[in-house]
């Protein structure tokens, strides 16, 4: 078997990668051409099972930790070295697309298949990872399991998160058979690479094939509760109302203006709104909102937070509505490891792909893992920048290009991983 040093330029099979993505897309397929595989549902289990079966066919050893993260390992020449890892997630939004997350997982599998096919033996092991509940669509906040792995979330907190029906993440992991024995975070990686569609319009607009991701912007998530008073819509004068929905309109504009005041890099979104009692002829007495603020500079994000809170408080005072703001998640802006970023950039150059240095507007598991492990990301264009949408689309040639960059970065890092050979690493138990 040849070493990674002896075989510097194998190429992935783009048709095989595309077919794998399309086969995974059949699980939870929606009528409009997207996917619905909410975290830890039966559809998520089916996607996980398919991934595991493919990895076993590729000769990988499988391990699952107690947050349901799946690790598929291709052994290296020196098993004592920490693995070079790659991956993403298989869970989707309720009206999700076919590429968000799953591309990174199956690009990692395609790397392993390509190494096998070309008889390349890497110095360090290579792990492909599926992270649990990246989207946060069913169990908030997002990136829970990668956050536990990186020490950013408490394991008990994460396992106790509930969905809209009161089911806990831990109970659902157990139900679908993916509550593993390995303690989450007990394994050490040499490095982590994540391939992903951009989920924005920049690469397509600039005519670039590869995004070399330097880091990710900061995020703050809020649950906002507005308490007014139910009242008859016909007989209650406007002057005497405590209309929670009118106050909620002020909250929506507060989030938008917090972003507009710091444009063009800032964004603010109200993505959920529950109105109670939700009756045509009743003044709403209770409204719950979910608010998302983001900016690549943490100081600016703090200014956005102050602006949002101030405008929201004013809106509630004007309607005599009680206000509760619960900041359920704060994710600081992150900067990826220079050596890993260079590995991605150099791979793109060596392969002749037009590339662009950029910052991720979306959160990703890599933005959690980078707190404890050298990490970087590879972006490829998606049509119109549309994501979290059933119409999400990407070109097979772009997906193949991103996977080729991933392959070269993993091979390069596997060679440099030998420098860690004398450093202590965590136990890698639980492989079967």
């Amino acid at each position: 078997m040849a070493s990674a040093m002896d075989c510097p330029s194998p190429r992935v099979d783009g048709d095989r990668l595309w077919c794998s993505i399309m086969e995974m897309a059949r699980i939870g397929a929606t009528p409009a051409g997207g996917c619905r595989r909410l975290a830890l549902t039966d559809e998520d289990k089916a996607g996980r099972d398919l991934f595991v079966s493919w990895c076993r066919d590729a000769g990988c050893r499988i391990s699952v930790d107690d947050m349901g993260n799946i690790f598929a390992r291709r052994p290296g020449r020196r098993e004592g070295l920490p693995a070079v890892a790659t991956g993403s997630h298989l869970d989707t939004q309720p009206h999700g697309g076919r590429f968000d997350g799953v591309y990174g997982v199956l690009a990692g599998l395609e790397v392993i298949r390509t190494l096998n096919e070309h008889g390349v033996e890497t110095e360090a092991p290579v792990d492909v990872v599926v992270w649990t509940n990246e989207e946060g669509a069913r169990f908030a906040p997002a990136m829970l399991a990668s956050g536990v792995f990186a020490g950013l979330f408490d394991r008990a907190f994460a396992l106790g998160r509930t969905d809209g029906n009161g089911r806990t993440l831990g109970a659902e992991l157990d139900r679908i058979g993916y509550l593993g024995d390995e303690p989450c975070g007990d394994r050490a990686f040499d490095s982590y690479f994540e391939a992903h569609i951009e989920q924005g319009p920049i690469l397509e607009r600039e005519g670039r094939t590869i995004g070399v991701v330097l880091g990710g912007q900061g995020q703050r998530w809020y649950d906002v509760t507005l308490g007014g008073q139910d009242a008859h819509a016909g007989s209650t004068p406007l002057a005497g109302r405590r209309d929670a929905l009118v106050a909620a309109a002020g909250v929506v504009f507060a989030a938008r203006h917090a972003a507009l005041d710091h444009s063009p890099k800032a964004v603010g979104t109200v993505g959920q709104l529950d109105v109670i009692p939700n009756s045509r002829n009743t003044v709403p007495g209770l409204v719950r909102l979910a608010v998302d603020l983001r900016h690549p500079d943490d100081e600016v994000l703090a200014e956005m937070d102050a602006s949002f809170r101030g405008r929201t408080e004013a809106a509630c005072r004007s309607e005599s509505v009680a206000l509760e703001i619960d900041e359920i998640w704060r994710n600081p802006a992150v900067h990826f490891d220079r050596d890993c970023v260079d590995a991605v950039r150099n791979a793109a150059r060596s392969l002749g792909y037009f590339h662009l240095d950029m910052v991720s507007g979306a959160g990703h598991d890599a933005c959690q893992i980078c707190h404890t492990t050298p990490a970087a990301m590879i972006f490829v264009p998606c049509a119109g920048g549309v994501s979290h949408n059933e119409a999400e689309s990407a070109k097979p040639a772009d997906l193949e290009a991103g996977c080729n960059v991933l392959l070269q970065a993993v091979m390069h890092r596997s060679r440099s991983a030998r420098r860690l050979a004398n450093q202590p690493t965590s136990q890698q138990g639980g492989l079967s």
Side-chain angles (χ1 to χ4, degrees), residues 178-203:
Y178 277 90
L179 182 61
D181 296 327
E182 179 180 318
C184 184
D186 265 17
R187 64 175 52 216
F189 292 140
D190 164 78
S191 51
Y192 175 75
F193 295 92
E194 184 168 348
H196 211 283
I197 59 169
E198 181 196 346
Q199 301 182 280
I202 296 173
L203 289 174

Side-chain angles (χ1 to χ4, degrees), residues 15 38 52-53 73 84 106 121 127 129 159 181 204 232 237 274 288 305 341 369 379 385:
D15 291 337
L38 296 179
V52 168
S53 71
R73 169 159 297 188
V84 176
L106 297 183
E121 184 177 28
D127 279 5
V129 189
L159 292 175
D181 296 327
E204 185 179 64
H232 195 289
D274 296 324
R288 299 189 183 96
D305 171 83
V341 171
I369 300 305
F379 277 176

Side-chain angles (χ1 to χ4, degrees), residues 23 72-73 100 103 116 147 150 180 183 228 230 247 392 407 423:
E23 186 170 347
R73 169 159 297 188
D100 178 1
Y103 167 56
N116 289 347
D230 294 1
E392 180 182 272
L407 171 64
Q423 296 184 13

Side-chain angles (χ1 to χ4, degrees), residues 167-230:
R167 299 184 180 95
T168 67
L169 185 148
E172 288 296 272
L173 270 178
D174 189 39
R175 182 186 70 82
I176 69 168
Y178 277 90
L179 182 61
D181 296 327
E182 179 180 318
C184 184
D186 265 17
R187 64 175 52 216
F189 292 140
D190 164 78
S191 51
Y192 175 75
F193 295 92
E194 184 168 348
H196 211 283
I197 59 169
E198 181 196 346
Q199 301 182 280
I202 296 173
L203 289 174
E204 185 179 64
R205 185 181 66 207
E206 298 294 326
R208 308 298 179 94
T209 303
I210 299 296
V212 179
V213 186
L214 307 179
Q217 63 184 348
Q219 303 178 53
R220 296 195 187 191
W221 281 15
Y222 310 83
D223 284 345
V224 180
T225 303
L226 308 176
Q229 185 177 54
D230 294 1

Side-chain angles (χ1 to χ4, degrees), residues 360-372:
S360 175
H364 299 284
D365 292 307
C367 297
Q368 308 287 76
I369 300 305
C370 72
H371 289 278
T372 57

Side-chain angles (χ1 to χ4, degrees), residues 395-408:
K395 296 178 181 177
D398 290 338
L399 300 175
E400 180 178 350
C403 193
N404 273 321
V405 171
L406 176 65
L407 171 64
Q408 296 302 317

